Amino acid sequence: MIWLRDVLDELADEAPRADLAERTIRIRERRRRRAVSLVAAAAVVAIALAATAAVRLLPGEPDAAGRPSGGEVSDLPARGVGPLSHAYLTYCRPERGAAPRGCVHGGWRVVTRGGRTYRLADALRSSPTGLRNSPLAISRDGRKVAYYKAAAGTFVVRDLATGAVKAAPTRVPRAWLGSFAHLLLSDDGRFLAFTKAPRLKDPAMLFDLRERMARPLPNGWNPIGLSPDGGTITLAEYAPKTRLQVMTHLWRTSTAGNGKAVDVSGHYLAGGLGPDGRSVAALEVASVPGTGCTRSGGDLVHLDLETGRTLRRVAIRGVSLTDHHAYLRSWVGTDEITLLTSPFRCRTDSGKQDGPAEEGERLDPPYVPFTAYALNVRTGETRRLATYTAQDSFYLVLPGFPGTL
């Protein structure tokens, strides 16, 4: 795969900044995320973008939501940091309420299981306009974090305890990050998958940080599963329709044509690949009559990875999805998957700005409560895990393989 690394390095050197068409696409995507109201043909995108998150762990019930507080936050130490519970972005001009103390606009913060919060100062800062995206991933055990290091011009994986940092074997120009970029980090930190939207011409990639190799991946898909050897990756697509794809023998072939994609009947947002490696848990996207808004249906749906067919439905208990937006994230165990919820809000405004705006001219979403539950995929029972304060859900990062967000 040395040839691929050389080719990608040459492309990186020659890659232009995003052209006007790409810039326009990104601005329109940002407006959609702010509006949270889409036409029926793009309904599945609306629920995914209904919340674009910066998250802060609360010590108890969400009674302080909307007025986040806390002491001084220092930069992440070079080593000796415990496992992470989550990471979140901060935007510092909420339309109501207060921003966290020491807020850095578009900056990442990481929170340890012990409750210590640090700034990830060397990570690329994200732009609320959607013209600059900064993805991040956390390993399942919380001991490693992957992000785009601004100074390096590529992705890195950082061991929090030892401080060891491994960079991707190729450079990734910022223009390649797209409006919505996604990362998936293997449990051991060896493999890192990077995908993005919109479907730009430059490739998405899977990196092997130990062997220093890169593998092209298709654009526009979300990585939701990866085999321990990095040879098989599972991807999901939720717009314009729901699709699942499995790519195999990733390090034995020289093309991206070894994938099998299947269409799913209906609109769904998938969670991380199931522990059995053959099924995907998903939430159906339902329209709210008379509003133009969408939210999740009340059932957990099991999809067959091979055919895209619905295997079974399980009614979700203990959480009212009529009153909440809901999203699936990583698996808690063999029978439980993370269900992230926020109070249902139906915003029908489509945004007031007709063109690109300077970051200082716009206000950011307010901080609202988000609660995570462990959802039993067999019984539908839920148990509360934690409550966060967030501006949105899109930038909330939990350990383990993500879903389609």
Side-chain angles (χ1 to χ4, degrees):
M1 300 300 290
I2 299 299
W3 65 272
L4 177 59
R5 183 171 67 238
D6 294 339
V7 170
L8 290 174
D9 276 337
E10 292 177 7
L11 286 173
D13 291 333
E14 299 174 0
R17 300 299 293 178
D19 61 24
L20 181 59
E22 292 172 354
R23 184 180 180 90
T24 302
I25 291 173
R26 295 174 185 178
I27 293 170
R28 292 184 65 186
E29 290 288 350
R30 176 61 188 175
R31 288 179 189 166
R32 274 191 234 165
R33 190 165 62 196
R34 296 274 298 177
V36 196
S37 175
L38 298 175
V39 295
V44 74
V45 178
I47 192 167
L49 307 181
T52 326
V55 180
R56 179 177 180 81
L57 182 66
L58 289 178
E61 295 302 313
D63 54 351
R67 48 183 182 88
S69 60
E72 295 297 331
V73 177
S74 60
D75 290 347
L76 183 69
R79 61 182 63 85
V81 178
L84 301 182
S85 70
H86 68 284
Y88 65 98
L89 278 172
T90 56
Y91 290 110
C92 305
R93 289 169 48 87
E95 60 186 33
R96 62 176 182 273
R101 181 181 298 181
C103 182
V104 174
H105 204 68
W108 280 106
R109 291 187 179 190
V110 296
V111 183
T112 69
R113 294 176 187 170
R116 295 292 303 272
T117 300
Y118 299 104
R119 285 187 299 266
L120 195 54
D122 60 342
L124 177 69
R125 290 170 59 182
S126 187
S127 164
T129 61
L131 298 178
R132 184 177 66 249
N133 190 238
S134 176
L136 182 144
I138 303 171
S139 63
R140 192 187 307 268
D141 62 7
R143 300 180 184 277
K144 297 178 179 64
V145 60
Y147 56 95
Y148 188 96
K149 185 174 181 178
T154 193
F155 295 104
V156 299
V157 175
R158 180 170 177 171
D159 187 299
L160 297 166
T162 67
V165 177
K166 292 184 178 180
T170 64
R171 286 165 291 170
V172 179
R174 296 184 188 184
W176 289 17
L177 298 180
S179 297
F180 306 107
H182 306 285
L183 293 183
L184 180 149
L185 180 63
S186 65
D187 292 347
D188 59 3
R190 173 181 172 180
F191 300 102
L192 180 65
F194 154 60
T195 65
K196 72 293 187 71
R199 297 178 182 277
L200 305 177
K201 294 181 179 180
D202 41 78
M205 283 176 277
L206 174 66
F207 301 110
D208 183 337
L209 278 72
R210 188 180 74 186
E211 299 298 328
R212 312 299 299 161
M213 297 190 297
R215 178 70 171 84
L217 296 175
N219 277 320
W221 295 77
N222 291 60
I224 62 172
L226 185 68
S227 62
D229 65 356
T232 300
I233 191 169
T234 303
L235 306 162
E237 185 180 47
Y238 55 84
K241 60 183 178 180
T242 303
R243 306 178 74 203
L244 301 173
Q245 180 175 185
V246 179
M247 299 181 67
T248 60
H249 304 99
L250 288 170
W251 304 107
R252 300 180 187 177
T253 60
S254 59
T255 69
N258 60 331
K260 177 184 178 181
V262 296
D263 294 340
V264 178
S265 179
H267 284 162
Y268 297 90
L269 291 178
L273 178 66
D276 61 5
R278 300 186 303 273
S279 64
V280 174
L283 295 175
E284 190 169 13
V285 177
S287 297
V288 181
T291 67
C293 296
T294 60
R295 61 183 168 215
S296 298
D299 294 340
L300 180 73
V301 179
H302 293 255
L303 301 174
D304 183 77
L305 188 58
E306 179 73 16
T307 65
R309 295 177 180 174
T310 298
L311 298 174
R312 64 183 181 278
R313 292 174 175 268
V314 180
I316 298 175
R317 308 174 187 278
V319 179
S320 171
L321 298 192
T322 301
D323 300 325
H324 293 85
H325 294 290
Y327 320 86
L328 294 176
R329 295 297 179 87
S330 58
W331 285 76
V332 180
T334 57
D335 292 331
E336 292 181 317
I337 192 170
T338 303
L339 176 71
L340 183 68
T341 67
S342 65
F344 177 74
R345 296 177 64 205
C346 181
R347 297 184 60 180
T348 57
D349 58 275
S350 57
K352 299 179 179 179
Q353 296 180 352
D354 296 324
E358 297 297 328
E359 292 185 13
E361 297 176 0
R362 67 166 65 240
L363 293 178
D364 305 310
Y367 288 81
V368 296
F370 287 78
T371 301
Y373 297 88
L375 169 61
N376 190 300
V377 298
R378 301 182 186 277
T379 67
E381 296 292 338
T382 56
R383 59 183 179 89
R384 182 183 176 279
L385 296 176
T387 296
Y388 311 85
T389 292
Q391 290 172 290
D392 252 296
S393 74
F394 199 77
Y395 293 127
L396 165 60
V397 176
L398 302 177
F401 294 167
T404 47
L405 304 180

